[in-house]
Amino acid sequence: VQLQASGGGLVQAGGSLKLSCAASGFTLEYYDIGWFRQAPGKEREGISCVSRDGTTYAPQSVKGRFTISRDDANNIVYLQMKNLAPEDTAVYYCARGECHGPLSDFDSWGQGTLVTVSS
């Protein structure tokens, strides 16, 4: 059982990136999947979640800028990010759990992908 995030990189402020979360070892359609990020010296925070029925959730800090979507046929969840700012710099992770559940209930964390936004 594994989730692997990819697609990070260096981007200028105002730019866009699309992250991918590839699932293996389990059937994605049966799970809610969340995207999280952790900046240096800060706690991991949830930034988007998509439930099994396709309902999406996001905090106000990223609403309108980040869009989560899922492709169950190909076992991938995406995070489209636009209008990036330096404060979005972090390692981004995906994990499976319950969108309304606590962070501690999420599992199958991968290694994450680094997003660096330059000013």
Side-chain angles (χ1 to χ4, degrees):
V1 173
Q2 187 176 11
L3 285 168
Q4 184 58 55
S6 62
L10 175 64
V11 63
Q12 288 189 329
S16 300
L17 277 177
K18 187 174 185 178
L19 306 183
S20 299
C21 172
S24 59
F26 68 98
T27 303
L28 188 70
E29 66 178 309
Y30 299 133
Y31 294 89
D32 297 359
I33 301 294
W35 278 99
F36 304 81
R37 68 184 180 188
Q38 189 165 18
K42 295 189 176 181
E43 293 188 352
R44 191 167 297 188
E45 62 171 336
I47 54 171
S48 284
C49 195
V50 59
S51 66
R52 281 154 285 189
D53 67 2
T55 305
T56 61
Y57 306 88
Q60 200 59 41
S61 59
V62 303
K63 268 185 180 176
R65 298 192 302 125
F66 292 7
T67 303
I68 189 171
S69 61
R70 63 190 299 153
D71 178 354
D72 290 338
N74 290 297
N75 264 15
I76 299 177
V77 174
Y78 298 102
L79 184 68
Q80 176 69 57
M81 306 186 294
K82 65 179 182 180
N83 196 21
L84 286 161
E87 52 266 35
D88 294 316
T89 294
V91 178
Y92 285 68
Y93 303 86
C94 55
R96 69 177 189 179
E98 297 283 340
C99 286
H100 292 296
L103 184 65
S104 57
D105 283 355
F106 281 82
D107 65 11
S108 304
W109 298 88
Q111 288 188 334
T113 186
L114 176 63
V115 172
T116 304
V117 185
S118 63
S119 57

